[in-house]
């Protein structure tokens, strides 16, 4: 745990995923990195870790990383897609073609 009691999210670039490990269980958000965008493909939280908001933590860490690296986001994972649709402040991170598909301003 971090100093403030929050479980840290790590970007495991060797495995192309964000990870949270708790009690030997691993929650992940898998991605594919390209020069100008990041594609989030799959998010998985084991049942033992369910209900703790870890999927949201993974999404927020992934989006923060994309923002820091100036990458647009392609949310192929439904967890990322639902979060981004629900949070208008993330719409500008979406790749323009994704915003157009969703009927959001490009």
């Amino acid at each position: 745990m971090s100093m403030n009691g929050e479980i840290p999210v790590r970007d495991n670039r060797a495995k192309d995923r964000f990870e949270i490990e708790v009690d030997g269980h691993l929650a992940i958000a898998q991605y594919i990195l390209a020069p100008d965008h990041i594609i989030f493909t799959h998010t998985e939280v084991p049942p033992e870790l369910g209900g703790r908001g870890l999927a949201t933590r993974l999404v927020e860490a992934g989006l923060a990383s994309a923002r820091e690296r100036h990458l647009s986001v392609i949310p192929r994972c439904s967890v990322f897609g639902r979060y981004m649709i629900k949070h208008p402040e993330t719409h500008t991170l979406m790749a323009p073609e994704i915003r157009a598909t969703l009927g959001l301003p490009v």
Side-chain angles (χ1 to χ4, degrees):
M1 284 205 199
S2 68
M3 299 284 264
N4 63 3
E6 238 182 50
I7 301 162
V9 178
R10 71 177 168 260
D11 183 0
N12 183 339
R13 293 186 183 190
K15 293 190 176 180
D16 297 323
R17 66 188 187 194
F18 287 89
E19 304 172 334
I20 299 174
E21 188 173 354
V22 180
D23 300 330
H25 300 285
L26 197 61
I28 63 159
Q30 198 75 43
Y31 62 81
I32 299 168
L33 190 58
D36 61 346
H37 62 272
I38 186 167
I39 305 166
F40 289 100
T41 59
H42 179 69
T43 302
E44 186 174 328
V45 177
E48 297 85 356
L49 302 180
R52 299 185 191 189
L54 299 183
T56 298
R57 295 270 320 284
L58 289 165
V59 169
E60 290 171 348
L63 297 178
S65 176
R67 189 175 280 114
E68 287 170 15
R69 297 193 231 177
H70 305 286
L71 298 171
S72 63
V73 173
I74 298 175
R76 293 261 166 80
C77 166
S78 62
V79 174
F80 273 80
R82 282 192 307 268
Y83 182 96
M84 293 183 81
I85 288 168
K86 219 167 146 177
H87 292 87
E89 70 277 11
T90 68
H91 291 177
T92 58
L93 278 175
M94 278 189 217
E97 63 272 18
I98 301 300
R99 287 197 309 260
T101 301
L102 295 173
L104 300 171
V106 180

